[in-house]
Amino acid sequence: METPQRNLALDLVRVTEAAALASARWLGKGDKQNGDQAAVDAMRLSFNALDIQGRIVIGEGEKDKAPMLFNGEAVGTGQGPAVDVAVDPVEGTNLLAYGRPNAIAVVGVAPAGTMYDPGPSYYMQKLVVPSAAKNGVDLDAPVGENLKTIAKALGKDVDDLVVFVLDKPRHQDLIAAIRETGARIQLHTDGDVAGALMAVDPESEVDVMMGTGGTPEGVLSACAIRALGGQMLARLDPQKEAERIALEERGIDTTAILDVHSLVGSEDVFFAATGISGGTFLPGVAYKGTGASTHSLVLRGRSGTVRRIASSHRWDKLMRFSAVQYD
């Protein structure tokens, strides 16, 4: 038996809370650039207080030229464990800009060298299921066959299932195939990290996520999926010729099927997410004049511990020393 070890996720939640508090000021203002920048600045400052030797493996923003915590950037004090870091200061920048639900601030951490580096890949086909359904699903199986397998594992009928799908033109055939089975669908414009989390969260009404979303978001999601015991089957799915050529030049096999263990090669993972705009997954930031409240999900892979943290933040105390202008 071991004495309790440091739970980095409890440090990471301060990072996601800072990003959420800073970016939520931009909710519904139609300016995703400044909303994202506020989250990035707050997250970077918060990382400076963490005793880790961190390296950003999964940064954000390359796809849409947003402000970034750059891939390869060092974060932390340079003391403590060497870790790979995956970040998305605002997962769902459009959701934040237009005041839509399920924008979240997210961080995942794993031991150095264990996190999959997607290189120039932007898009990935994904199938995400909870722990009870992780055996028997097949990325190449027909949609109906996978849904029957999942329903049986969960003790449900197929028409009881709820499938999370991004509402994109590329998913027209997928949506039609799901509807043909009788399963129900939640269509979301953005936010496939939140979708993956909902698929493995026993408290969510979502049972499975299907379709093609972001590759960086897939690796980030895998930190949480591994901690929760679920499964993600994935394959790189370039959507443009330039992306396909870049992957080919790097010698990356776009036919290989990846799973959650391929994406994060250690169970010693830590994950934190804080709601920004609220919605079906996590309540958003609520400002109260003298402060604010936040809600977060905090996971430790090795112990399987899941924490849901509701926090109150007081401007009169916090702004005495904080470099982030929350109020």
Side-chain angles (χ1 to χ4, degrees):
M1 302 297 293
E2 298 180 5
T3 57
Q5 302 296 307
R6 178 183 173 194
N7 185 349
L8 277 175
L10 295 174
D11 295 323
L12 296 178
V13 74
R14 295 177 61 198
V15 177
T16 57
E17 285 176 347
L21 286 166
S23 62
R25 289 292 187 190
W26 295 91
L27 179 71
K29 295 184 178 181
D31 187 346
K32 71 176 188 177
Q33 187 80 8
N34 277 316
D36 205 16
Q37 185 70 66
V40 169
D41 292 345
M43 192 170 270
R44 184 177 278 119
L45 281 169
S46 299
F47 266 124
N48 289 341
L50 295 191
D51 284 331
I52 58 171
Q53 302 173 59
R55 182 179 70 93
I56 302 287
V57 174
I58 302 297
E60 61 92 39
E62 288 186 15
K63 190 161 51 181
D64 56 5
K65 310 299 182 186
M68 285 194 293
L69 278 153
F70 293 92
N71 291 343
E73 181 176 344
V75 293
T77 64
Q79 318 241 339
V83 294
D84 291 342
V85 180
V87 300
D88 202 340
V90 179
E91 203 264 327
T93 52
N94 283 322
L95 302 178
L96 171 62
Y98 299 110
R100 295 171 183 156
N102 294 328
I104 57 177
V106 194
V107 175
V109 165
T114 63
M115 199 174 286
Y116 178 76
D117 184 347
S121 174
Y122 293 147
Y123 290 95
M124 171 186 279
Q125 180 188 2
K126 306 169 193 174
L127 172 62
V128 181
V129 296
S131 177
K134 67 182 179 182
N135 297 318
V137 290
D138 182 343
L139 194 62
D140 290 324
V143 169
E145 186 176 315
N146 273 327
L147 292 180
K148 286 178 184 176
T149 299
I150 294 164
K152 183 178 179 181
L154 298 179
K156 297 183 177 185
D157 295 328
V158 171
D159 60 4
D160 295 332
L161 296 178
V162 174
V163 186
F164 180 106
V165 181
L166 290 176
D167 190 7
K168 307 291 183 183
R170 62 179 176 265
H171 289 151
Q172 287 182 356
D173 291 343
L174 172 62
I175 291 167
I178 295 169
R179 285 175 175 161
E180 189 175 336
T181 70
R184 299 173 296 156
I185 302 173
Q186 277 193 14
L187 289 173
H188 293 255
T189 58
D190 299 276
D192 58 328
V193 173
L197 291 172
M198 284 189 262
V200 295
D201 181 356
E203 296 191 16
S204 166
E205 68 271 28
V206 172
D207 300 294
V208 53
M209 186 183 86
M210 291 180 161
T212 292
T215 303
E217 290 85 347
V219 180
L220 182 48
S221 300
C223 295
I225 295 167
R226 177 135 199 194
L228 289 167
Q231 180 60 283
M232 173 191 286
L233 299 179
R235 178 166 47 215
L236 303 186
D237 188 15
Q239 297 296 296
K240 294 183 179 179
E241 185 65 10
E243 183 183 356
R244 186 193 64 76
I245 291 171
L247 289 166
E248 188 176 275
E249 289 176 348
R250 287 277 295 269
I252 297 174
D253 183 4
T254 58
T255 66
I257 294 179
L258 306 167
D259 65 10
V260 71
H261 294 87
S262 311
L263 296 169
V264 183
S266 171
E267 70 170 2
D268 198 18
V269 295
F270 304 91
F271 179 90
T274 300
I276 300 174
S277 63
T280 56
F281 176 54
L282 281 170
V285 175
Y287 294 109
K288 302 176 181 179
T290 58
S293 62
T294 57
H295 291 80
S296 303
L297 176 70
V298 180
L299 309 173
R300 184 186 183 197
R302 192 176 181 196
S303 65
T305 303
V306 178
R307 288 181 171 90
R308 298 178 188 274
I309 298 177
S311 302
S312 295
H313 310 270
R314 288 177 52 181
W315 301 149
D316 62 336
K317 287 183 171 287
L318 187 58
M319 297 315 302
R320 291 178 194 168
F321 58 86
S322 177
V324 182
Q325 293 298 312
Y326 296 119
D327 62 347

